[in-house]
Amino acid sequence: MAEKDPETSERKLVLFNTMTKQKEEFKPIVEGKVSMYVCGVTPYDLSHIGHARAYVAFDVLHRYLRQLRYDVTYVRNFTDIDDKIIKRANEAGEDPLKLSRHFSDEFLVDMEVLQCLPPTHEPRVTEHMDQIRDMISKIMENGHAYTIEGDVYFSVDSFPQYCRLSGRKLDDNMAGGGGRVTVDTRKKNPADFALWKSAKPGEPSWESPWGQGRPGWHIECSAMSVQYLGLKFDIHGGGKDLVFPHHENELAQSRAANPESCVNCWMHNGFVNRDNQKMSKSENNFFTIRDIIANYHPLALRFFLMRTHYRADVNYSNQALDNASDRVYYIYQTLQDCEVALAPFREGTYKVQVPDDIKELVHKFHAGFFESMSDDLHTTAVLDDLVEPLKTINGTLKKFKGKKQQQALIVTLLALEKEVKEVLGILGLLPTSSFAEVLKQLKDFALKRAGMTEEELSNKIEERTLARKNKQYDESDRIRKVLTALGIALMDEPGGTVWRPCEPTDE
């Protein structure tokens, strides 16, 4: 896939636009270039799986746009000053800016572990006060904001298009705000939202024409998107909980400051649910990314998140993570076996052509990948489609005796391996280390989840081997079932019994 073939280059990328509530053909403002802004975290704690959901989803988009040969400018911000940060810092007796810097750094570690490519720019609110103050001044000059005792509020009544993105009625907006809106009887309309908050004792603050204070939640993204992408850009993304109020308010204040401001496509990912309830810090029902990757390989988590279409909600369960872990183990074991088999033959030249049935399989998989990804990033279909080429690799490996004379099998394995690896690379599922190393890590995680050491497992395998030798087959089966229930599958081979991780059973 290094070169764009005619089929894939002619395929139209279609994305769901929250503004129009339908899928639309993606047409960048500037041909060959894509400008994308994704709202980042408020770093007051370790990031949770809901954050992983959002940033893996938009990493997939970022990677696919690059695969389509777009020059992508990707901006993802840090809201590094906010009520939640101040509250957490006060509870911990810590400086708010120091606390937000710490958790910003921890977030970046999590993103690297999940193999999310770094954005082009990662602006922080505290480094863009000039741009924020300038935008607020423009909004006021244009008659869309007012001041009350050092606070500046946006007047929703002055902007008739308010709620165009979310489709809500203005009467619905008297409360909410993601926990960041408080009732203030001084406001002209209860739905008016803060652009600038006057300073409170002991809180970080900055100078402004309206007195010491700090920005409201929404204005920062309007100001920083203009700074890095201009007044018009292609894609604005985030979790669907940001549609209202954050993105609705962003849209209003951006247009109020600059009427020509425009986002071509608004994109929003689904939640991660636990017991059919949105997982979030405010509900205290969340797992951090660190919680999960303490027991599962990060690529198993990435696979799990990609198994569900980005706009749908993901239902979190250990069983679903076990399944994802089992799937990635199968993928990497197949490719490891293929690498080992092909190692002596990679430098060779082969006169035989790839068999027609394999050519057809590779073409179908290749075309299906682009068809699914160009249809609003249908990663679920892509991951399902991996089954056939992997199954064919395993079937071919069983026939291959490691002889150069088996050229048809060698070129078959080379063709399938190349295509599978390139798809995994585009999806961010190709490990940065060797397959052997990742397989070892996956086995270590399986042992940890089973509550066993490698030595304890070896002893169990020896017990079972002895039971079989003594024809104690009931005991042999019992040991196998106990281990399978813990997520450890035993396989009897000519050289002895080996094991691999599996999905735990209820037996």
Side-chain angles (χ1 to χ4, degrees), residues 308-369:
T308 302
H309 187 265
Y310 79 91
R311 282 192 288 116
D313 290 351
V314 177
N315 286 310
Y316 174 88
S317 69
N318 287 342
Q319 185 178 5
L321 262 296
D322 289 334
N323 177 263
S325 188
D326 189 60
R327 287 286 298 275
V328 296
Y329 189 92
Y330 170 72
I331 292 168
Y332 300 148
Q333 184 67 68
T334 299
L335 292 172
Q336 166 68 2
D337 292 345
C338 191
E339 281 192 351
V340 170
L342 289 173
F345 308 105
R346 290 198 184 274
E347 303 303 320
T349 55
Y350 303 100
K351 295 178 182 179
V352 302
Q353 296 290 314
V354 176
D356 288 343
D357 61 331
I358 300 302
K359 279 184 182 177
E360 185 180 347
L361 190 157
V362 168
H363 173 75
K364 182 180 177 183
F365 178 64
H366 181 93
F369 169 78

Side-chain angles (χ1 to χ4, degrees), residues 287-306:
F287 292 112
T288 67
I289 296 169
R290 303 284 173 91
D291 290 336
I292 295 168
I293 63 175
N295 291 299
Y296 294 93
H297 197 286
L299 288 174
L301 174 55
R302 184 179 176 99
F303 186 98
F304 160 73
L305 293 170
M306 292 171 60

Side-chain angles (χ1 to χ4, degrees), residues 136-200:
I136 294 172
S137 295
K138 279 187 181 180
I139 295 170
M140 293 191 71
E141 289 166 10
N142 292 341
H144 294 288
Y146 56 93
T147 60
I148 305 175
E149 299 170 1
D151 294 319
V152 182
Y153 287 100
F154 185 92
S155 172
V156 297
D157 291 329
S158 74
F159 192 77
Q161 291 182 311
Y162 190 65
C163 291
R164 182 182 165 208
L165 177 66
S166 63
R168 293 166 66 111
K169 296 179 181 178
L170 194 57
D171 291 344
D172 296 337
N173 302 334
M174 301 310 175
R180 309 183 202 215
V181 172
T182 54
V183 176
D184 188 337
T185 55
R186 301 174 304 161
K187 293 192 287 186
K188 294 180 179 180
N189 184 319
D192 293 348
F193 55 90
L195 300 175
W196 189 262
K197 298 182 176 184
S198 58
K200 295 179 182 177

